[in-house]
Amino acid sequence: MLENVELFCHNSIKITGSKTIYIDPFRLEKSYHDADYVFSTHTHYDHFSEEDIEKILKEDTVIITPDSSRELACDLTKDRERVKIVEPANEYELPGIKFSTTYAFNKEVLYHTKQEKWVGYIIELDSVKYYIAGDTDNIKELKDVECDVAFLPVGGKYTMGYAEAAGLANTIKAKIVVPTHYGCIVGEKEDAEKFAKLVREKEVRILIK
């Protein structure tokens, strides 16, 4: 289920199949111009990078994003019809793809608040469900997440740390969990390794080396 997945760095993910999708593209080393869909979890520069989105846009790319990035997305596509605005806890369908949104916020610090309505995604592509948590803590709104592959932030400070992330991994229903959001800006590879040791009854794949 990961053969068609590239985790570039941080929370920057590419999934290829019947559609080519990117989530939070960031610090891409080259231009691809092959995206059918670009998913952004929220407006922060390391999750909505205009420079990197420009590297993957093609003439019919659709950008999916919370409302806070609406104008940035419209400036990039030059076409409001190619921008899909989402809110947490909803289900959506676009040509060739189904997805739902989850809540993503911090419980105490103010980097990501519930009021901003930023999101995580559960994306179904070619019968595989990928959960991308976005920048979040282990919040009660996520306890019922079901997926095949879960991408969870472990770097701490702006998101949950490795121990809290392992708690979420052990709560949700997933076959494979992949730690993200470390080794760039915040977090170290050791956070991913410590996370892996705390996860029970699930395969852990460390993709950011």
Side-chain angles (χ1 to χ4, degrees):
M1 287 182 283
L2 291 175
E3 293 84 0
N4 60 330
V5 173
E6 293 180 71
L7 178 51
F8 298 106
C9 71
H10 209 47
N11 200 56
S12 178
I13 302 164
K14 179 180 183 180
I15 305 173
T16 54
S18 57
K19 298 292 182 180
T20 297
I21 66 175
Y22 291 79
I23 303 96
D24 292 348
F26 182 58
R27 295 188 179 177
L28 300 178
E29 294 183 355
K30 62 181 182 179
S31 297
Y32 295 87
H33 298 299
D34 60 351
D36 293 303
Y37 297 110
V38 179
F39 290 81
S40 174
T41 57
H42 62 288
T43 307
H44 290 161
Y45 75 95
D46 51 335
H47 295 264
F48 194 104
S49 167
E50 295 166 85
E51 175 185 355
D52 290 289
I53 293 174
E54 286 179 339
K55 292 179 180 180
I56 59 177
L57 286 180
K58 55 191 182 77
E59 62 182 11
D60 59 349
T61 302
V62 174
I63 299 177
I64 299 101
T65 183
D67 189 63
S68 56
S69 299
R70 180 194 298 265
E71 295 308 317
L72 293 174
C74 290
D75 287 345
L76 287 166
T77 63
K78 306 296 190 294
D79 181 357
R80 290 182 175 269
E81 296 298 315
R82 290 168 52 203
V83 177
K84 177 72 175 177
I85 302 302
V86 296
E87 293 187 349
N90 278 285
E91 296 182 355
Y92 302 89
E93 185 169 358
L94 292 170
I97 198 167
K98 296 179 181 178
F99 64 96
S100 59
T101 51
T102 64
Y103 282 93
F105 60 88
N106 300 130
K107 290 179 288 189
E108 297 179 3
V109 297
L110 298 179
Y111 298 116
H112 312 86
T113 67
K114 189 173 185 179
Q115 291 72 27
E116 287 165 311
K117 296 184 177 180
W118 291 339
V119 300
Y121 294 100
I122 302 174
I123 302 170
E124 184 174 350
L125 180 66
D126 301 334
S127 301
V128 178
K129 289 185 177 180
Y130 304 91
Y131 170 47
I132 299 90
D135 280 11
T136 189
D137 291 339
N138 182 0
I139 52 178
K140 61 182 177 61
E141 287 86 350
L142 303 179
K143 64 182 177 61
D144 295 324
V145 165
E146 296 185 18
C147 61
D148 297 295
V149 182
F151 296 89
L152 305 181
V154 303
K157 187 172 180 177
Y158 303 112
T159 72
M160 54 191 166
Y162 69 86
E164 189 177 353
L168 178 57
N170 292 331
T171 299
I172 64 175
K173 294 180 179 178
K175 298 173 183 176
I176 301 172
V177 289
V178 180
T180 66
H181 215 281
Y182 65 91
C184 171
I185 301 177
V186 294
E188 305 294 339
K189 183 182 177 183
E190 288 74 16
D191 294 313
E193 295 168 346
K194 292 175 182 177
F195 165 82
K197 292 178 180 178
L198 296 176
V199 175
R200 303 187 304 271
E201 299 178 355
K202 296 176 178 70
E203 180 182 355
V204 179
R205 297 284 297 274
I206 297 176
L207 300 184
I208 302 175
K209 304 301 182 180

